[in-house]
């Protein structure tokens, strides 16, 4: 993705990714939304699009880093690669969920289909446990680098807020809407929402 296109898409992604994540979390709280049907499909569809927008956020974070030397570039690329690998796993998980929600006729059938898919070797770690965790690990690494590097584009509290939001969702998925707000606040400077049009280090 070229720089100008990324610059145009970044504000949309910064606002849209957490917003769609929050909508997904809100829909999960509605009665019947965890059964096969419109609520399940709409919620997971929104989350799928939100994850795609997080891909733009990751690209913007990596593009904003200016690491020195081969080791710095290797570390930045490793963080971005880890995040994108986890993002792909998360998209795979949502894709499975959408498929099951679309074809299941009732809750029992939903459980049967999930068991059939998740019992296949490698599916659980790749798409439901280890794989998706890589997204958060890589995202946090990029945020720390963006907040502490020589061309700072984020404040110190950005990775802290994302870490808190991630921990909240790990503890209770009902807190996804709250975590989404924390993500939005954390990522907002990346799009210049707070007037940070230049790297913070350049303003010091």
């Amino acid at each position: 993705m070229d720089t100008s296109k990324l610059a145009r898409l970044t504000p949309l992604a910064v606002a849209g990714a957490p917003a769609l994540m929050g909508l997904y979390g809100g829909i999960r709280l509605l009665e019947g939304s965890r059964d096969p049907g419109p609520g399940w499909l709409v919620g997971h569809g929104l989350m799928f699009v939100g994850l795609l927008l997080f891909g733009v956020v990751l690209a913007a974070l990596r593009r904003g880093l200016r690491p020195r030397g081969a080791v710095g570039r290797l570390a930045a690329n490793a963080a971005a690669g880890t995040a994108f690998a986890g993002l792909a796993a998360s998209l795979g998980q949502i894709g499975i969920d959408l498929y099951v929600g679309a074809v299941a006729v009732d809750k029992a059938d939903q459980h049967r289909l999930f068991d059939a898919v998740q019992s296949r070797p490698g599916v659980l770690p790749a798409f439901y446990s280890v794989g998706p965790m890589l997204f958060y690990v890589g995202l946090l690494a990029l945020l720390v680098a963006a907040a502490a590097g020589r061309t700072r584009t984020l404040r110190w509290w950005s990775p802290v807020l994302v870490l808190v939001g991630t921990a909240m969702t790990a503890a209770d998925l009902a807190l996804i809407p709250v975590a989404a707000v924390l993500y939005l606040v954390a990522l907002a400077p990346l799009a210049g929402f707070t007037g940070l049009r230049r790297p913070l280090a350049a303003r010091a």
Side-chain angles (χ1 to χ4, degrees), residues 61 64-66 76 79 139-154 159:
L61 284 169
L65 299 180
R66 296 292 185 271
L139 173 61
L140 282 169
L142 289 172
L143 289 171
V144 169
R150 62 190 181 93
T151 54
R152 290 183 294 131
T153 54
L154 298 175

Side-chain angles (χ1 to χ4, degrees), residues 43-148:
H44 284 78
L46 291 173
M47 189 60 189
F48 191 90
V49 178
L51 287 172
L52 292 176
L53 291 177
F54 268 115
V56 178
V57 172
L58 295 178
L61 284 169
R62 175 61 188 92
R63 186 66 62 88
L65 299 180
R66 296 292 185 271
R68 291 177 177 174
V71 174
R73 289 191 295 272
L74 180 62
N77 289 336
T82 299
F84 275 111
L87 181 62
S90 298
L91 286 168
Q93 178 189 136
I94 297 296
I96 293 171
D97 292 351
L98 281 169
Y99 166 75
V100 170
V103 302
V105 296
D106 54 27
K107 192 68 174 179
D109 193 35
Q110 184 184 43
H111 284 306
R112 182 187 63 79
L113 287 168
F114 270 127
D115 288 341
V117 173
Q118 295 175 358
S119 64
R120 295 176 181 271
V123 169
L124 276 176
F127 297 109
Y128 285 91
S129 56
V130 179
M133 286 179 58
L134 298 178
F135 168 68
Y136 300 102
V137 172
L139 173 61
L140 282 169
L142 289 172
L143 289 171
V144 169

